[in-house]
Amino acid sequence: MKAVGARLPRYDGLGHVVGETTFVDDVRVPDGNLWARALRSPSHAARIVRLDTRKAAELPGVHGIVTHEDIPRNVYGHLEALGVPADEPLLAEDEVRYKGQPIAVVAADSEEEAQAAVEAIELELEERDTLFDIRKAFDPDAPKIHPWGNWFPYFGGPDEGPDRRKVRKGDIDKAFSDADTIVQGVYRPAAIEHCPTETQVALVVPEASGRLVIYSCTQAMYFSMGVVAAHLEVPLNKLKFVGGTVGGGFGGKVDTAAETLSGLLALKTDRAVKWRWTREEEFLASSTRAPWHMEIADAVTSDGWILGRKMLTLHDAGAYARFSPYGLTKHAFHHAGAYTIPNIHFDGFVVFTNRVPTTAMRGFGVTSVSFAVETHISRIANTLGLDPYEFRLKNANRVGDTTPNGVTLTDPSTVATIHAVAEAAGDTLAPEYAAMTSEPRSGPLLPDHLVTQQRDGRSAHA
Amino acid sequence: MPRHKGRGISTIEYPTGMNQNGDPSQAWIKLKPDGRVDVFAGTVDIGQGSKTVHTQIVADAIGVPYEWVTMDNSNTDSSPVCTGSFASRGTFIGGNAVRFAAERVRERILDIAAKELEASADDLEIEDGTVSVSGAPDRNISVSDVAAAATWGHGELITGTGAALKPYAPVDPETGAVEIEPHCAISYASCIADVEVDDETGEVTVLRLIQAYDVGRAINPTLVEGQIEGGAMMGLGLGLLENSYPYYPETDHRGSEFGTYLAPGMEELPEIESLILENPAVDGPFGAKAIGEMANNAQPGALANAVFDAIGVWVTELPITPERVLRALERKNDGKHEPRHEGKKVIFDEEISIGTIGANGGAVALDVP
């Protein structure tokens, strides 16, 4: 029997449903472990005037406290390898930029003792003005969130460059001049939680050899190992990540949340340390899906061709960049959706606010634009008095069409998927639309305004 | 009648692999002395079933029964690099890594079998755990015996490594253009949402979702359907229920537990019809593209369109809560929901645009001629 294509049961399914799978919090070490808790910022934005851990360190059961001073490299960026400069400290130094930002971590014999020590840490803050509405980030009197300003300036790489992700294609002015109608709309999906069953958790066991064994719920063991190694300034052979089985991630466990600080506490105390976030921390201090603000203006003809699109996107990164520039670039690459639009003018900004940093979540960068584009497409069809199936089929990606960044499509399925759902729903298409395929355009489906975009396409498969 | 039915459609596309590439996955495989197969790869199983998919690919790429294949993804000492389980990259990139490793193992099995059968390796084939000479099926040896011969007779370890990497695709900062494809493949999907909207309470009930996904090749159709159905519920949450900041942009009243954060549950589960299309990717494992992330992208747009179809208002801020539905209906009744017409421009949602909210008309507002 061939395995590929077969409805085989989940490899690890039985263990999951009978409760036998070992997740990180199930791991036990022979000599037991210390427990970590974090002091988190109670303020959305403040200057740290004073941080004193001396009294907390004297409390019963406390084995060690780590602040930014204990971290070999405190500021490290998730995307440094891609030329995105670092902006986020592992533990806050002079400023806190979001409520819930970690400032210090304690290791103690019990979670209760660790929490008591956290509450005994003396922290004095000087409140600063906050910014939450990304639409006001560009105002002259907006509070300044970040040394970089209120939006990410490095879309040309570490030597700065454009302060936005740009996409330019074709002749946008001609498209808008030739249009019969221009339809504008604004689309704003919300921040949402990843809601994993397993909260962020790590167990770090120091070995006599000096190695750290890190039991991790990361979605990306090598990526997280790289992050820990960078903060600790150690080579990869000093670390062993144990994981591969996760109790729900959805993107929220791409950030390396508990591993590094647990490792620092393990090094400082020479004891195994476990840090498991409470449900409240998971909801309030862990990253969310980003809220987005998208404005679309489409130049269209009365008979249903999309000639051009102008789009502005503001991506709410929260207080630090993390993966946001990556997510926005992916968003920019896919802002035409499953359609072929020959003339494009896109500007996208990664905007900082005093919100918990946003991060990857299922569909990162594209979930937002799929909602915006699809609602906008139906709006245009309704405005023009066209059938929403027909308007989509007419402008659908076809073999030989190009994406906003000039890649020639080789195997699009816009047409096939529309046909499939229409048939299943019992909606009958007009014969000319029912007969459409994804084959290269010709005849009335290759009007002049689509000829140039095909010619300008670049190599598909590298 | 306060309850109105509506239908909305949405069509989407989604890339496989990290945007702009540069995200390797690697694997290695060894054979036990009885021919059983050990796969080592760092692909994290986040519930999507990547261990199942990887072992299915390996079984067929070598030619042994599925039950022979075991996978260890438990640690970074024994497993080589996997960039991570994100970007819908597991089946395509991780799958290619184990496929390439399995192909090397297959070659090594054939080399040893050729000696045992006194035949040319080029004339051999492997199926269901048996190596035989093409056209002479009686001349055969089991993979178990090949592995035993390698171990105890030839003094060799049958192993193979594989690495999948598409090189990084730089982007022109001024035009967004790329010189090489910045993804591994693109998957497509369409979604029809049938809803019922109560114009007195503002509640939106999803009656049915019909969804078609082109995944290239369904390595495991049950797992694909699992992604489609699970993703649909996440999309439904994003479209109708969930909000970390219910009074965004204000930060008050954040849900801090499952009891105060409105995520979809079984009571919201609509009738779901899942259709799998297979338009293969030329360089995916057995033609596979991806399904993981895109499964929650199509519903919010389909739901917004269905709500319009039902009651004639566009709600373009998510989630589409009863409050937002009722406010939109109120604006419609007050004659304020219609777009503004200016020349050939039809302008919706002006009241929530950066031009209205930002100072001085919004410094970066769209310039629409």
Side-chain angles (χ1 to χ4, degrees), chain A residues 2-12 44 132-133 135 138-139 162 165-168 176-177 179-193 195 211 218-223 225 240-244 246 279-280 283-284 289 291 293 295 297 310 312 316 326 329-330 333-334 337 339 349 355-356 361-364 366-367 370-371 374-375 378-379 382 389 392 397 405 407 411-414 416-418 420-421 424-425 427 458-461, chain B residues 7 9-11 13-15 18-20 44-47 49 51-52 56 60 66 70-71 73-77 79-86 171 173-179 181-182 188-190 192 210 212 214 217-223 225 227 231 234 238 242-245 248-249 251 254-258 261 273 275 277 279 283 289 292-293 295-297 305 308 314 316-318 344-349 352-354 357-359 364 366-369:
Chain A
K2 292 290 185 193
V4 169
R7 290 181 175 275
L8 292 164
R10 275 273 298 273
Y11 187 106
D12 47 8
H44 293 295
F132 294 115
D133 192 335
R135 294 168 296 188
F138 302 87
D139 292 356
R165 174 56 70 203
K166 295 182 185 179
V167 183
R168 304 287 188 266
F176 274 71
S177 166
D180 298 315
T181 304
I182 295 164
V183 180
Q184 293 182 233
V186 181
Y187 304 92
R188 292 167 57 80
I192 68 170
E193 303 295 330
C195 288
R211 286 186 100 201
T218 178
Q219 291 177 230
M221 283 194 287
Y222 271 86
F223 179 83
M225 187 162 67
K240 175 183 181 180
F241 261 66
V242 180
V246 176
R279 183 61 60 189
E280 188 178 19
F283 270 103
L284 299 182
R289 188 193 281 283
H293 177 89
E295 303 196 6
K310 276 196 166 185
L312 167 71
D316 188 340
Y326 166 86
T329 296
K330 186 171 177 178
F333 284 14
H334 294 275
Y339 312 100
F349 293 86
R355 210 175 292 290
V356 172
M361 187 168 177
R362 194 176 197 170
F364 192 26
V366 183
T367 308
S370 292
F371 160 66
E374 285 311 302
T375 311
S378 281
R379 242 178 181 176
N382 185 262
Y389 289 117
R392 283 176 167 81
N397 284 156
N405 45 358
V407 174
D411 54 2
S413 300
T414 311
T417 64
I418 293 174
V421 292
D427 286 342
R458 276 169 284 275
S459 61
H461 292 277
Chain B
R7 169 169 289 179
I9 182 181
S10 162
T11 300
E13 50 84 48
Y14 197 80
M18 274 183 77
N19 197 49
Q20 296 181 259
V44 174
D45 199 319
I46 52 174
K51 281 177 97 163
T52 322
Q56 286 180 270
D60 281 12
Y66 174 72
T70 306
M71 179 166 161
N73 66 343
S74 67
N75 72 84
T76 50
D77 279 5
S79 291
V81 169
C82 169
T83 305
S85 291
F86 48 71
V171 54
E174 295 303 325
T175 66
V178 291
E179 291 301 322
E181 201 179 45
Y188 288 78
S190 286
I192 285 176
I210 301 169
D214 166 28
R217 174 79 186 274
I219 304 290
N220 187 321
T222 304
L223 292 179
E225 288 164 1
Q227 292 284 348
M234 287 182 69
L238 182 63
E242 295 183 62
N243 199 344
S244 298
Y245 304 92
Y248 184 83
T251 59
R254 290 199 63 186
S256 61
E257 53 181 307
F258 284 116
Y261 177 84
E273 186 172 344
L275 306 164
L277 308 184
N279 176 18
D283 40 14
K289 294 175 179 173
E293 291 174 280
N296 73 5
N297 286 2
N305 296 335
F308 176 81
W314 296 107
T316 63
E317 291 185 280
L318 297 182
K344 62 185 180 183
K345 289 196 278 192
V346 181
I347 306 168
F348 290 92
D349 311 325
I352 55 172
S353 70
I354 189 171
I357 304 294
V364 297
L366 270 186
D367 174 24
V368 181

Side-chain angles (χ1 to χ4, degrees), chain A residues 73-81 84-90 223 226-231:
Chain A
R73 186 175 173 201
N74 190 32
V75 181
Y76 172 74
H78 278 154
L79 293 177
E80 279 193 47
V84 175
D87 65 332
E88 184 172 4
L90 188 60
F223 179 83
V227 171
V228 175
H231 282 295

Side-chain angles (χ1 to χ4, degrees), chain B residues 116-156:
Chain B
E116 297 296 307
L117 292 170
E118 297 181 344
S120 164
D122 295 339
D123 297 334
L124 301 178
E125 53 195 28
I126 310 180
E127 194 168 336
D128 208 23
T130 300
V131 186
S132 57
V133 178
S134 303
D138 290 348
R139 291 179 64 199
N140 65 65
I141 181 172
S142 72
V143 172
S144 298
D145 290 342
V146 173
T151 309
W152 315 115
H154 300 278
E156 293 194 36

Side-chain angles (χ1 to χ4, degrees), chain A residues 17 33 81 115 123 131 134 139 145 152 166 272 282 324 422:
Chain A
V17 297
N33 57 269
Q115 183 59 36
L123 175 69
L131 173 67
I134 46 180
D139 292 356
I145 303 301
F152 181 80
K166 295 182 185 179
E282 182 68 39
S324 291

Side-chain angles (χ1 to χ4, degrees), chain B residues 2-5 195-206 239-241 300 303-334 337:
Chain B
R3 296 173 81 82
H4 308 267
K5 288 192 173 173
V195 305
E196 192 170 69
V197 185
D198 187 317
D199 67 15
E200 289 179 357
T201 67
E203 279 179 288
V204 178
T205 306
V206 185
L240 300 181
L241 299 172
L303 292 167
N305 296 335
V307 167
F308 176 81
D309 190 48
I311 55 170
V313 294
W314 296 107
V315 181
T316 63
E317 291 185 280
L318 297 182
I320 305 172
T321 58
E323 179 178 345
R324 286 199 168 118
V325 168
L326 292 178
R327 288 195 189 286
L329 282 170
E330 200 172 71
R331 288 172 59 80
K332 185 186 175 198
N333 292 337
D334 293 346
H337 189 73

